[in-house]
């Protein structure tokens, strides 16, 4: 049987760091409140001339180096983002050109914070069916561009960054199972309420900002992630004890801790980057994965559970033999 195996990881963060103390000067908040309620200490913010593709390119090159593949080996690019460079062409096409890859399919996926899990699940299907052998899977965001910097309920949460993996066909186990879901009835709880088709005048006036009913999103995230953890383990015939590492979407330390508790997993088996990166939406999981691979925590043969929840609502998970 052909598996889709993570052959290499990479990530990239913009240079500028925005601390909680910096935010105290922008809105009525405190470093202590942000740490206590979210676990966030700082986040990276893209420079004015940096786009999602600018962040994705070094992340992709690092993943390709780690996987020991070159541009001509890549036969599919799947790019998860909610903050694309342009309305079109897709970020996947723009990145493809930057990397000097020609002819392979390339497309974007829009599932907000679940984007990377959606992209991984999609890429896995191509690999398993033999349609692709080396897939570049990216999550990259410049969420700072869609933040209202006067809204203390959202501006403290988000950051910019990019992460990437090369998913490769292999006889060795890789992704054991992947699960993706959505329920559009909850669209209004976490959204940018204007765009090309809705409230277009607001959009043209530059009011395309994230709005969130934080409390309700929080409750749904904790409950839904608790459920998907059970479903994922059951589908793979594994038990909680089989998980070596939880690599969660990094939205809030309290949501991460609740999921770890559900898995009866001590926090030292959970990869946490939300303190340093904030919520980087589709980039958060591949960023966290790359950090833990490169610092040696995650080793070949380890069993990983990736999970995410985000706008849409969308949610998903992947169980991986690394
Ligand atoms: O990645 C996609 C999914 N997104 C998420 O998962 C985010 C989910 N939501 C959250 O992480 C949390 O709901 C927040 C961190 C956004 C908010 O934490 P909370 O514990 O749910 O706070 P809250 O919204 O219930 O607000 C509690 C109080 C309110 O004041 P009153 O009404 O009790 O007087 C807020 O106005 O905290 C106030 N508040 C703040 N105070 C200081 C809200 N934001 C801030 C702030 N600084 N930045």
């Amino acid at each position: 049987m052909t598996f889709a195996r993570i052959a290499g990881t990479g990530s990239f963060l913009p240079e500028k760091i925005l601390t909680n103390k910096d935010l105290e000067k922008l809105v009525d908040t405190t470093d202590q409140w942000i740490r206590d309620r979210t676990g966030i200490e700082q986040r990276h913010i893209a420079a004015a001339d940096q786009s999602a593709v600018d962040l994705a390119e070094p992340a992709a090159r690092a993943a390709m180096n780690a996987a020991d593949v070159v541009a001509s080996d890549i036969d599919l690019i799947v790019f998860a983002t909610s903050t694309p460079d342009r309305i079109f062409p897709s970020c996947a096409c723009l990145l493809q050109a930057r990397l000097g890859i020609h002819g392979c399919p390339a497309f974007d996926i829009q599932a907000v914070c679940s984007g990377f899990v959606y992209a991984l699940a999609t890429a896995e299907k191509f690999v398993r069916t033999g349609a692709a052998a080396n897939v570049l899977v990216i999550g990259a965001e410049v969420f700072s561009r869609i933040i209202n910097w006067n809204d203390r309920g959202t501006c403290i949460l988000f950051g910019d960054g990019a992460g990437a993996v090369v998913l490769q066909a292999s006889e060795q186990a890789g992704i054991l199972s992947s699960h993706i879901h959505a329920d559009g009835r909850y669209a209004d709880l976490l959204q940018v309420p204007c765009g090309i088709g809705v409230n277009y005048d607001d959009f043209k006036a530059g009011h395309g900002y994230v709005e969130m009913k934080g409390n309700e999103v929080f409750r749904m995230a904790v409950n839904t992630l608790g459920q998907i953890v059970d479903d994922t383990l059951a589908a793979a015939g594994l038990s909680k004890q089989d998980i070596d590492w939880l690599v969660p979407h990094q939205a809030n330390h309290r949501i991460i801790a609740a999921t770890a508790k559900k898995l009866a997993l001590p926090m030292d088996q959970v990869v946490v980057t939300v303190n340093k990166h904030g919520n980087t939406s589709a980039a958060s999981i591949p960023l966290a994965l790359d950090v833990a691979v490169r610092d040696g925590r995650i080793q070949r043969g380890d069993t990983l559970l990736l999970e995410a929840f985000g706008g849409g609502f969308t949610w998903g998970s992947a169980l991986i033999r690394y």
Side-chain angles (χ1 to χ4, degrees):
M1 177 155 65
T2 303
F3 286 98
R5 182 170 169 269
I6 294 179
T9 66
S11 62
F12 184 77
L13 289 159
E15 201 178 324
K16 185 185 168 189
I17 290 174
L18 187 70
T19 65
N20 293 348
K21 285 280 176 205
D22 296 329
L23 283 166
E24 285 181 357
K25 294 175 202 136
L26 291 180
V27 288
D28 180 15
T29 192
T30 61
D31 173 45
Q32 197 62 48
W33 191 95
I34 302 172
R35 283 174 194 261
D36 290 348
R37 306 308 292 166
T38 71
I40 299 169
E41 299 159 18
Q42 62 169 57
R43 67 289 289 142
H44 290 250
I45 302 291
D49 62 353
Q50 266 176 326
S51 70
V53 173
D54 290 330
L55 304 185
E57 185 182 344
R61 289 189 189 279
M64 287 165 63
N65 276 338
D68 201 17
V69 298
V70 294
S72 56
D73 296 322
I74 300 295
D75 48 15
L76 172 65
I77 300 174
V78 187
F79 195 124
T81 188
S82 299
T83 49
D85 290 29
R86 310 180 196 182
I87 289 172
F88 70 83
S90 68
C91 286
C93 287
L94 299 173
L95 180 66
Q96 187 195 40
R98 295 260 192 109
L99 295 174
I101 303 169
H102 308 290
C104 78
F107 57 88
D108 286 4
I109 282 192
Q110 154 61 298
V112 207
C113 297
S114 310
F116 183 76
V117 173
Y118 264 68
L120 203 64
T122 305
E124 183 210 355
K125 308 292 184 281
F126 278 82
V127 174
R128 275 193 185 261
T129 56
N134 284 292
V135 188
L136 199 47
V137 185
I138 320 278
E141 302 275 18
V142 282
F143 246 63
S144 59
R145 301 279 159 70
I146 54 167
I147 293 303
N148 175 355
W149 291 100
N150 297 313
D151 175 10
R152 68 176 184 172
T154 52
C155 77
I156 58 150
L157 298 172
F158 294 95
D160 301 332
V165 303
V166 172
L167 213 55
Q168 197 166 61
S170 170
E171 295 311 308
Q172 275 174 276
I175 296 182
L176 303 174
S177 73
S178 60
H179 308 263
I180 49 176
H181 302 276
D183 193 337
R185 285 177 300 177
Y186 299 100
D188 294 350
L189 294 182
L190 176 51
Q191 61 168 335
V192 175
C194 64
I196 302 299
V198 174
N199 300 324
Y200 182 51
D201 288 341
D202 288 348
F203 182 66
K204 276 192 298 185
H207 300 309
Y209 298 131
V210 173
E211 287 182 7
M212 177 170 68
K213 296 199 171 66
N215 223 296
E216 289 167 65
V217 176
F218 185 94
R219 254 180 286 125
M220 278 291 290
V222 169
N223 291 337
T224 309
L225 291 171
Q227 183 62 46
I228 202 170
V229 159
D230 286 341
D231 295 349
T232 308
L233 289 171
L238 295 185
S239 66
K240 292 173 182 175
Q241 294 75 31
D242 295 319
I243 304 296
D244 295 306
W245 292 101
L246 175 64
V247 188
H249 170 51
Q250 311 280 324
N252 185 317
H253 193 276
R254 290 184 293 143
I255 298 175
I256 295 171
T259 310
K261 193 172 170 202
K262 174 89 191 173
L263 278 165
L265 208 60
M267 284 307 284
D268 59 7
Q269 281 172 262
V270 182
V271 181
V272 177
T273 52
V274 71
N275 54 331
K276 298 295 178 206
H277 300 168
N279 180 349
T280 57
S281 185
S284 91
I285 290 179
L287 263 163
L289 181 64
D290 187 50
V291 166
V293 165
R294 284 176 193 268
D295 70 20
R297 274 178 288 172
I298 293 179
Q299 297 284 323
R300 285 287 173 202
D302 284 353
T303 303
L304 321 180
L305 178 61
L306 279 47
E307 47 81 351
F309 182 88
F313 287 143
T314 55
W315 63 98
S317 65
L319 203 54
I320 297 172
R321 181 77 30 79
Y322 180 70

